Amino acid sequence: MSEQLDDIQLIEDAGNGDNEAFGILYERYVRKIYNYIYYRTGNINEAEDLTAKVFHRAFRHIETYNQRGVPFSAWLYRIAHNLVANWYRDRSRKKEVALDDQLPSSFHFDFPESSLEKSQESEKMIKAIRRLPPERQQLIILKFVEGLSNTEIGMIMRKSEGAIKSLYHRTLESLRKEIEKIEQPKKNEKIAKGRLS
Amino acid sequence: MNEQYSYSVMENSLVSNLIPVQPNPDFIQNLGKRLLGSSNIYIEDRNHSLAFVLISLGLFIGAFIVWLFRKHG
């Protein structure tokens, strides 16, 4: 709550041209926005580029923020969401890669324990998430990467808490199906190998 | 019950796999500098008045040429 009050004061100061106030807001939220964009795009360069755009846009329009009635972080996430949506649209126009199945090359995590199994599980999960519709991807990332509550997610996605709960259950169900689809060919392969040997 | 179990397994998997990443500190620092040092640099909307003047001038000249041709033709 105190952070919220702090935000309000900082936004007011930033709106009056106090760059230091905006700097504090930037430091407070830049990593969260970066993470959100990184998990939506799966690409470090795009995450950096779009994060920069989010904060440039926020900086330019900070005076108009007060009238919006949502927390500052929710406002930033909405800007990020719109920019990511534009990025996907531009990419699909260029048809550089098929978006459905493509797991970006930068989505390979270095786990401290260097566990190959864990890395594979992680890639499978990310692949399944990226097959979901954008709204469901957004929900999963906000909930698990950003650790936001249903109420906070609702503010960002312009939905009630109940609607978020219901969407969450539908998302888990579709995620389960996507994971099964990814696992099925491997299972079939194992069965075939078993028959041969 | 089985569905509940499957969701709970999936939630645990999401928690352990969706780990927040640390952005490059240089990127964070440089962006901060660029932002806060850019108080006098704004990407402004295009000035449409010049385009309006040029188009009007083009139309006027075009109409004048047509008028000249008709007059002498």
Side-chain angles (χ1 to χ4, degrees):
Chain A
M1 186 66 188
S2 67
E3 188 173 276
Q4 189 59 35
L5 284 173
D6 243 352
D7 273 6
I8 293 167
Q9 185 59 52
L10 288 167
I11 291 156
E12 201 179 316
D13 293 347
N16 292 327
D18 182 351
N19 281 3
E20 209 174 303
F22 190 84
I24 297 169
L25 290 167
Y26 167 77
E27 272 298 324
R28 193 173 282 173
Y29 295 110
V30 65
R31 286 163 191 83
K32 291 179 180 178
I33 297 299
Y34 175 89
N35 261 282
Y36 173 75
I37 297 173
Y38 174 70
Y39 272 95
R40 289 295 311 276
T41 61
N43 183 301
I44 293 171
N45 293 330
E46 297 300 341
E48 290 186 352
D49 187 37
L50 292 174
T51 302
K53 282 182 182 166
V54 169
F55 281 93
H56 276 292
R57 193 174 281 188
F59 188 67
R60 285 204 310 274
H61 299 289
I62 188 85
E63 297 124 24
T64 61
Y65 162 72
N66 278 340
Q67 300 150 13
R68 290 166 198 267
V70 291
F72 186 64
S73 58
W75 184 57
L76 290 176
Y77 281 119
R78 284 182 188 177
I79 297 175
H81 173 75
N82 290 337
L83 289 173
V84 169
N86 290 346
W87 179 76
Y88 269 109
R89 203 177 48 226
D90 292 347
R91 238 165 74 114
S92 63
R93 272 191 202 140
K94 286 176 193 164
K95 293 192 177 186
E96 284 171 352
V97 285
L99 291 176
D100 281 354
D101 257 355
Q102 190 74 24
L103 188 65
S105 55
S106 54
F107 249 132
H108 296 285
F109 299 100
D110 290 325
F111 292 100
E113 60 269 53
S114 300
S115 156
L116 182 65
E117 204 174 304
K118 187 163 169 75
S119 169
Q120 281 171 345
E121 190 198 327
S122 175
E123 283 189 17
K124 186 176 68 188
M125 181 60 83
I126 303 275
K127 198 173 178 181
I129 291 169
R130 292 175 65 79
R131 286 182 178 188
L132 299 176
E135 188 183 50
R136 295 181 183 193
Q137 288 185 37
Q138 185 183 20
L139 173 57
I140 290 285
I141 293 164
L142 291 174
K143 199 168 185 70
F144 289 97
V145 181
E146 309 287 341
L148 300 182
S149 68
N150 287 344
T151 315
E152 290 168 316
I153 296 171
M155 280 181 181
I156 296 165
M157 295 177 72
R158 294 189 174 95
K159 287 181 190 292
S160 69
E161 197 181 342
I164 293 295
K165 268 186 194 169
S166 151
L167 179 64
Y168 176 60
H169 282 105
R170 291 200 303 275
T171 301
L172 284 185
E173 180 54 31
S174 46
L175 189 60
R176 189 176 63 80
K177 284 178 184 163
E178 291 301 341
I179 290 171
E180 277 173 9
K181 277 186 207 166
I182 293 168
E183 282 174 342
Q184 199 54 48
K186 286 178 186 170
K187 280 180 186 168
N188 291 345
E189 205 176 301
K190 273 185 186 174
I191 292 167
K193 273 184 186 172
R195 278 181 190 157
L196 282 173
S197 62
Chain B
M1 185 65 189
N2 198 18
E3 195 177 73
Q4 279 296 323
Y5 172 76
S6 136
Y7 285 167
S8 140
V9 168
M10 211 154 48
E11 281 179 324
N12 288 338
S13 176
L14 282 164
V15 168
S16 62
N17 286 311
L18 296 184
I19 311 154
V21 292
Q22 280 303 318
N24 181 349
D26 289 341
F27 159 72
I28 300 291
Q29 199 179 3
N30 291 338
L31 176 60
K33 275 185 192 165
R34 281 208 313 270
L35 270 172
L36 305 178
S38 67
S39 55
N40 296 322
I41 303 167
Y42 288 95
I43 301 167
E44 290 179 352
D45 287 340
R46 243 178 236 168
N47 187 355
H48 295 293
S49 55
L50 182 65
F52 180 75
V53 168
L54 286 174
I55 291 168
S56 304
L57 197 65
L59 285 172
F60 177 76
I61 291 169
F64 182 70
I65 290 168
V66 170
W67 178 78
L68 272 180
F69 271 112
R70 280 193 177 173
K71 195 180 175 191
H72 297 289

